[in-house]
Amino acid sequence: MKYPQAFKKLMQMHQEGEQGIALVLVLLMGFLLITGSSALLVRKLVERKVGAFASYQQMAENAAISGFNHILSQLNNPSPTQYKGYLYEVDNFPKGDLQWININNTETSKAIELEEICTPTLGSAALPEHPEKGKIWPIDLLPLANNTSDAEFTLRDDGSKPVMAYYRLREFDSSFASDQATGVFSIEGLIKREDAVLARTLLTRSLDIKFVVATNADWAIVNATLFKDIERLEIKGEGIILVNKSEFWEKNCNQQSLENDIAFNVYGSTSPLIWPVRERGIPGPVLYEQQRQDDAVDNEIRVWSFDDSGLLDRGSNCAEIACVRKESQTSNDSFISASSTGSIIQDSSNNTIILKENGLCDEGEPGSPCHINIEYLNLNNTKLLIENEERPIVIHLLSPNTSAPSPSSISTGSIALKDGSMLCGVNTNSSECNNKAEHLVIVNGPNDGDYQNGCSSTQGRLSFGRQNLPAALLTLQSGTVSIDQDASIRGLIWAQNICGNNNKLIIDSAEVIQDTEKAWKWRENNLWGGNGRQTIRGIRGSGMDLFEKF
């Protein structure tokens, strides 16, 4: 069959139309494929970039943590010759006077005062050197590792230029509250490829700051603010002389000059022997509060007094050397003879009074420290012996300034041991002093004495000489120790004032610190770091780490 010419032309036009549509469809399909593959490629590239950034950010966080550990290792360096714990006392703020580097700068160090005034800050104790000349550790950027020996070293092997980790200290802020010292570090971690910063983070971490007397040789055997008219001061054994200075004292660390301020002659085996501290004060009775048992009768604290001069009026109910009263009864008629209580044994033939262990704090737990209150003690020829073999005895000096227990008209809070008198601890059923200084403690509180009057003070004053006080721990927070004759004692003397009256004082410290720590367990139970030349350490606090990306 033959088609008309017009029909053939129409068929040809139809076929050409179909070919055009197919071409459009092919082009559209190709565009969609190209677009999809491009989107997939872009997505993969973005994921790779995001993954790389996350990886760099993680590296920056690790750099900050590692940098913090590097700084902490320097501050907590256990070597005495490389000690840098003093830096915990100094805030470090960028572009301010308070910066670690300013400690040894003559012009700027005036704004920085260390409590332990003569702490070495030069030489091996100074800030470590920065690997780049002219820069400051750890304020300027520090490489996390020294990579100069390996030109090919990189944290990320991606065929590009090396990736390096750095850190620096942005800020350190310390706080010294009465109950807890803390320090907050801000450490910056960076990841760099040459000059380009790939990631950075800021780590904020807090530490608890601990003050500890690290060795027995660093303990204060003597601690006072005022030393006056001492002919000779000698420590036989380990330990130092701790001197309290005011905030206005001009720094002077010359040992000979310091010795001249203390006594005509000063001797001791520890070096440096004299250690000045600024505004630290004298430790108080709170050190001896653990497991405290008070000497009481009928649930009321007893107050003791001793006098063998026969001149002290304590009413008609007590004509003996040892008298006692209840806390709430302060009139003269309140005193009764201590022998009537069964707490003492008095031997007039050899002038001896023994305070029996089973007559003091008789309701207390075995071995717990027994605390007794003495408002007046003046002995000329009497030996006062206190049984303390199994437990420590803590004597509180009760003065007119004491709020509790209530003082009476005879209260002075003072002890005077003269001539042939003696005060010492003895074992049960013995009359020989046991020399257990850690078991005979004499204390007063911050307001009990009138130490402001220096060597003229009359309250909270402890006077002795010779061997009147063979062994004891003297912790007179507001008291004065007066040496009336050349004297020797085994133990510790911590008092506001030590007045020599041109006499000699020899202190036997052999094994005193070990025995005291064994008896009171201050450091073992984390109750107290000790009194003396302190070592400062940072330990992990309870705060959470904070990472800030920027």
Side-chain angles (χ1 to χ4, degrees):
M1 169 183 269
K2 293 184 180 181
Y3 295 98
Q5 189 65 30
F7 182 76
K8 288 181 178 181
K9 187 175 182 180
L10 181 60
M11 290 292 292
Q12 184 178 0
M13 291 176 62
H14 180 69
Q15 291 175 354
E16 289 177 355
E18 288 181 348
Q19 292 176 355
I21 293 174
L23 178 60
V24 171
L25 291 175
V26 170
L27 290 174
L28 183 59
M29 184 63 68
F31 175 76
L32 291 175
L33 290 174
I34 292 173
T35 302
S37 60
S38 298
L40 183 61
L41 179 61
V42 168
R43 178 180 177 182
K44 292 297 183 182
L45 291 174
V46 170
E47 287 179 350
R48 181 178 179 182
K49 186 174 182 180
V50 171
F53 178 76
S55 176
Y56 290 141
Q57 196 63 48
Q58 184 64 49
M59 290 181 187
E61 292 180 4
N62 291 335
I65 295 173
S66 298
F68 170 80
N69 291 332
H70 279 235
I71 295 173
L72 191 63
S73 68
Q74 288 289 341
L75 270 60
N76 284 354
N77 192 325
S79 172
T81 59
Q82 297 182 353
Y83 173 69
K84 298 178 181 65
Y86 63 87
L87 293 171
Y88 285 113
E89 293 187 67
V90 183
D91 293 336
N92 191 84
F93 298 113
K95 300 179 181 180
D97 290 338
L98 293 178
Q99 287 193 45
W100 289 354
I101 192 62
N102 289 343
I103 290 176
N104 296 318
N105 185 307
T106 304
E107 296 299 323
T108 57
S109 63
K110 295 178 182 178
I112 300 173
E113 293 184 351
L114 300 179
E115 183 186 63
E116 307 219 346
I117 304 167
C118 294
T119 301
T121 60
L122 295 173
S124 59
L127 297 179
E129 291 186 3
H130 196 285
E132 296 184 37
K133 188 175 181 179
K135 294 189 175 182
I136 302 171
W137 180 99
I139 308 238
D140 295 315
L141 278 181
L142 284 152
L144 195 55
N146 187 0
N147 305 323
T148 55
S149 61
D150 186 359
E152 301 301 322
F153 178 84
T154 180
L155 291 175
R156 188 179 185 89
D157 188 7
D158 55 4
S160 186
K161 294 179 180 179
V163 175
M164 306 293 186
Y166 298 84
Y167 71 94
R168 69 184 180 101
L169 175 67
R170 286 278 295 271
E171 187 176 295
F172 173 70
D173 187 13
S174 59
S175 173
F176 296 92
S178 58
D179 57 342
Q180 181 64 60
T182 58
V184 179
F185 289 84
S186 296
I187 308 293
E188 184 178 348
L190 289 91
I191 303 299
K192 296 176 66 177
R193 177 176 277 140
E194 291 189 334
D195 293 332
V197 176
L198 303 177
R200 65 170 57 180
T201 192
L202 185 67
L203 166 65
T204 301
R205 175 177 288 184
S206 64
L207 291 181
D208 289 340
I209 300 174
K210 299 296 183 183
F211 299 79
V212 178
V213 179
T215 68
N216 293 336
D218 290 326
W219 271 82
I221 302 303
V222 179
N223 180 197
T225 302
L226 173 66
F227 295 82
K228 187 175 181 181
D229 297 334
I230 304 174
E231 173 65 28
R232 175 190 179 105
L233 178 58
E234 180 178 358
I235 296 176
K236 287 189 173 182
E238 294 181 316
I240 65 172
I241 301 170
L242 198 69
V243 186
N244 296 333
K245 297 295 184 180
S246 73
E247 60 179 320
F248 306 108
W249 183 71
E250 186 174 350
K251 181 178 179 180
N252 177 12
C253 297
N254 180 274
Q255 283 292 300
Q256 186 59 55
S257 177
L258 292 170
E259 288 180 11
N260 293 339
D261 291 338
I262 289 177
F264 294 106
N265 297 284
V266 181
Y267 299 94
S269 60
T270 303
S271 180
L273 178 61
I274 302 172
W275 193 248
V277 294
R278 198 182 302 277
E279 298 287 337
R280 181 178 293 178
I282 303 297
V286 68
L287 299 178
Y288 309 100
E289 288 295 312
Q290 50 185 313
Q291 297 181 322
R292 170 175 177 164
Q293 297 290 335
D294 286 308
D295 178 47
V297 61
D298 298 330
N299 295 320
E300 192 168 350
I301 291 176
R302 293 195 294 182
V303 180
W304 294 77
S305 59
F306 302 86
D307 179 73
D308 63 1
S309 69
L311 301 176
L312 184 66
D313 181 15
R314 288 176 287 180
S316 58
N317 295 326
C318 182
E320 298 181 358
I321 295 174
C323 300
V324 67
R325 65 176 176 87
K326 292 182 178 180
E327 172 191 7
S328 62
Q329 301 173 351
T330 59
S331 66
N332 276 14
D333 294 334
S334 302
F335 296 97
I336 62 173
S337 298
S339 58
S340 65
T341 66
S343 298
I344 70 169
I345 297 177
Q346 187 166 344
D347 186 348
S348 301
S349 63
N350 58 9
N351 297 326
T352 300
I353 297 175
I354 300 177
L355 270 65
K356 299 294 293 181
E357 182 178 22
N358 58 11
L360 299 172
C361 303
D362 53 1
E363 297 180 0
E365 294 293 327
S368 297
C370 175
H371 290 244
I372 66 176
N373 291 275
I374 296 180
E375 61 183 338
Y376 187 94
L377 194 154
N378 176 47
L379 299 177
N380 293 278
N381 296 296
T382 304
K383 295 180 181 179
L384 178 59
L385 311 180
I386 305 176
E387 291 185 348
N388 64 348
E389 180 180 8
E390 300 298 330
R391 65 182 179 188
I393 298 293
V394 181
I395 298 174
H396 293 259
L397 301 183
L398 184 65
S399 80
N401 298 325
T402 306
S403 57
S406 301
S408 70
S409 60
I410 69 168
S411 297
T412 63
S414 295
I415 292 177
L417 300 170
K418 306 169 186 175
D419 302 328
S421 66
M422 181 177 290
L423 170 61
C424 73
V426 295
N427 293 340
T428 305
N429 299 321
S430 172
S431 59
E432 296 294 327
C433 298
N434 57 23
N435 284 330
K436 299 180 70 170
E438 70 281 3
H439 274 199
L440 182 60
V441 184
I442 303 176
V443 304
N444 73 356
N447 302 312
D448 294 335
D450 58 347
Y451 69 92
Q452 300 88 346
N453 295 326
C455 291
S456 299
S457 63
T458 57
Q459 299 174 10
R461 185 184 184 92
L462 193 158
S463 305
F464 72 101
R466 300 179 183 176
Q467 277 276 307
N468 296 141
L469 186 60
L473 304 183
L474 309 183
T475 306
L476 304 180
Q477 193 173 18
S478 61
T480 298
V481 172
S482 178
I483 310 302
D484 293 340
Q485 298 181 61
D486 291 349
S488 62
I489 182 175
R490 179 178 185 269
L492 309 172
I493 298 180
W494 299 343
Q496 288 288 347
N497 309 316
I498 300 180
C499 305
N501 301 299
N502 297 314
N503 294 306
K504 301 175 183 177
L505 174 60
I506 299 175
I507 304 172
D508 179 9
S509 66
E511 298 186 358
V512 166
I513 299 304
Q514 297 95 311
D515 294 341
T516 301
E517 177 60 29
K518 183 178 179 180
W520 295 98
K521 296 181 174 58
W522 291 320
R523 289 180 292 183
E524 180 181 327
N525 295 335
N526 293 319
L527 299 173
W528 185 48
N531 186 30
R533 182 167 40 238
Q534 295 179 330
T535 297
I536 308 177
R537 292 286 183 264
I539 62 174
R540 187 63 186 268
S542 58
M544 300 290 289
D545 286 351
L546 176 64
F547 289 97
E548 181 181 351
K549 302 175 184 178
F550 63 100

